[in-house]
Amino acid sequence: MTIQELETQYTSGLYTKRPIAIIRGNGAHLWDSDENEYIDCVGGQGAGNLGHANPAVAAAIAAQAQILISCPEMFYNDRRAELIQKLIGIAPNSIRRVYLCNSGTEAVEACLKFARLATGRKEFVATMRGFHGRTLGALSATWEKKYREPFEPLVPGFSHVAYNDLAALDAAITDRTAGVILEVVQGEGGVRLGTPEFLLGAQALCRERGAMLILDEVQTGFGRTGRMFAGEHYGLAPDLMSVAKSMAGGLPMGAALIGERVGPLPPQTHGSTFGGNPLACAASLAAIDYLQSHHLPEHAAELGAWFAAELRKIDSPLIREVRGLGLMVGIELKQKVTPYLQALMAKGVLALPAGLTVMRFLPPLVIEQDDLSRVVNAVREVLTDDRIA
Ligand SMILES: *Cc1c(COP(=O)(O)O)cnc(C)c1O
């Protein structure tokens, strides 16, 4: 049986799969089981900022695996102590403490629970097109109907306002609002950038009304947008911040970063068996060191600006808009994106959708300009080929 047949037989069936089996990677390149090479602009859906087979991350994982893999938070641990100190050093100034977990949705769950603990309030305001994960709390903050409807009733008390509509947000925050949860750039929702007025306005409204500002930086964090965290572009000082995806160089890890307005959390109110395990902590330390020492956020800023500018030069009636911040770039088409993504794959470029009509690029931040220039050429070819779609 082929890899594809084996997986198809026993997998959950939840994912729409592409027909290739990826078996190896190096930097921004991937290989399938037929030895075809691809330029990777899926980037592990945001978990691949450090590049595939990153030597520093691989060495840290191998070394720590021979020392200690599991160590619950009932004990102290050297790697964990180092990591949380490191995280406080790179986080916004408002952040004081760190809760470690294992995924984006867990990080969001923790932020929601901590906002309730801090305020004694129950309700949340989220945004249309927002994506925050699939567990029941995070899903309640998520907008997309097809993710939500099969699982209703969700957690009560969530409302959604249009992204970048400050007046709507103003009207939605009441004295029952525990928190406002926002992405700085909406990822799954179509690579949509928050305006400074909206994001800073949300922060001011939260402070004025006693609600917590929760920034979801699961996708935008760790250099993706050209800064370590996207909120830095706007000088945001969140009360809670969820991070995950590239946090540990591709190993599963997440965190809720806890701000000064949240205050200390009552003992025993939350926790995780795997949270803060030394293996993930060692990987994360290596990943953050590598991001800093190789100036990957700066590289993402420069290369991302160049990439978006090159994409804007493509003359195709299919393009509605090119949007991006750093190496988080989207092309909104006037048509469904799937056939164009398939055509790109046939040309050796892997990219992602964001909703039905947006082509999204999340390459590893180690990618070089000649690879991205090949991506631009492939995109130009597929978007000017009238035999597709
Ligand atoms: C991917 C994502 C999540 C969920 O992360 P998982 O690790 O898949 O649970 C949450 N928020 C945002 C903004 C994301 O992009």
Side-chain angles (χ1 to χ4, degrees):
M1 268 205 265
T2 64
I3 300 167
Q4 287 87 331
E5 284 164 347
L6 259 177
E7 267 206 46
T8 304
Q9 189 166 10
Y10 296 120
T11 191
S12 63
L14 292 168
Y15 300 92
T16 343
K17 301 221 189 216
R18 309 209 183 163
I20 56 173
I22 297 295
I23 58 165
R24 190 158 52 84
N26 184 16
H29 293 241
L30 287 170
W31 285 266
D32 69 16
S33 50
D34 296 322
E35 281 301 314
N36 296 307
E37 184 173 348
Y38 301 90
I39 301 174
D40 178 26
C41 291
V42 168
Q45 296 178 331
N49 290 12
L50 276 291
H52 300 290
N54 180 291
V57 174
I61 293 172
Q64 187 61 38
Q66 307 210 347
I67 299 171
L68 186 68
I69 292 178
S70 67
C71 172
E73 287 228 21
M74 62 186 286
F75 303 111
Y76 294 96
N77 173 259
D78 51 355
R79 290 290 95 76
R80 187 192 304 133
E82 279 178 74
L83 176 63
I84 59 183
Q85 181 187 30
K86 183 98 195 167
L87 286 169
I88 293 295
I90 61 173
N93 286 334
S94 53
I95 299 300
R96 294 285 179 276
R97 292 177 181 278
V98 180
Y99 166 73
L100 295 168
C101 54
N102 316 286
S103 67
T105 200
E106 275 180 78
V108 169
E109 281 312 312
C111 287
L112 297 172
K113 289 178 75 174
F114 298 164
R116 280 189 170 177
L117 284 174
T119 60
R121 302 173 179 183
K122 309 272 181 232
E123 298 183 5
F124 292 93
V125 183
T127 59
M128 293 175 188
R129 292 202 173 102
F131 182 88
H132 303 288
R134 317 281 199 142
T135 52
L136 288 169
L139 185 59
S140 307
T142 292
W143 167 250
E144 179 67 43
K145 240 190 189 165
K146 73 170 185 237
Y147 300 151
R148 297 168 59 90
E149 273 188 342
F151 303 103
E152 287 172 353
L154 297 177
V155 179
F158 281 78
S159 61
H160 293 80
V161 300
Y163 193 62
N164 284 337
D165 185 343
L166 189 58
L169 186 66
D170 188 351
I173 303 175
T174 70
D175 58 8
R176 295 183 307 277
T177 306
V180 173
I181 179 163
L182 301 170
E183 292 157 273
V184 181
V185 180
Q186 290 188 321
E188 307 298 311
V191 191
R192 291 167 207 278
L193 280 67
T195 61
E197 299 72 39
F198 181 66
L199 295 169
L200 290 164
Q203 177 169 300
L205 286 170
C206 282
R207 288 192 184 158
E208 182 189 304
R209 312 234 173 118
M212 298 293 128
L213 175 68
I214 307 170
L215 283 190
D216 184 350
E217 290 241 24
V218 169
Q219 189 161 146
T220 49
F222 299 100
R224 171 58 56 195
T225 70
R227 298 288 186 97
M228 189 58 85
F229 297 108
E232 291 170 30
H233 291 284
Y234 308 86
L236 291 169
D239 302 308
L240 288 155
M241 192 164 123
S242 51
V243 296
K245 292 208 161 103
S246 282
M247 175 176 189
L251 226 58
M253 188 177 218
L257 307 183
I258 303 164
E260 56 194 346
R261 289 180 71 226
V262 174
L265 296 163
Q268 311 286 339
T269 50
H270 194 56
S272 159
T273 302
F274 286 131
N277 73 81
L279 188 69
C281 290
S284 183
L285 274 167
I288 297 167
D289 279 344
Y290 192 95
L291 282 166
Q292 290 178 319
S293 62
H294 290 72
H295 307 288
L296 291 185
E298 295 82 353
H299 182 69
E302 281 167 34
L303 209 52
W306 175 85
F307 180 52
E310 290 298 300
L311 292 174
R312 286 191 185 99
K313 290 182 195 160
I314 295 175
D315 184 16
S316 161
L318 295 169
I319 298 179
R320 195 181 295 282
E321 192 183 20
V322 175
R323 298 186 285 265
L325 195 60
L327 278 172
M328 183 169 182
V329 176
I331 308 178
E332 184 169 347
L333 301 182
K334 294 175 188 164
Q335 296 187 24
K336 289 197 176 159
V337 73
T338 308
Y340 300 99
L341 290 172
Q342 286 164 347
L344 272 184
M345 190 171 95
K347 290 184 183 295
V349 173
L350 302 176
L352 277 166
L356 285 180
T357 58
V358 177
M359 188 181 274
R360 179 171 38 146
F361 302 87
L362 297 175
L365 307 184
V366 296
I367 198 166
E368 294 296 345
Q369 183 162 333
D370 36 313
D371 273 336
L372 273 184
S373 150
R374 280 187 214 124
V375 172
V376 172
N377 289 336
V379 172
R380 182 184 300 106
E381 283 166 29
V382 305
L383 293 184
T384 53
D385 183 343
D386 43 15
R387 293 164 302 176
I388 302 170

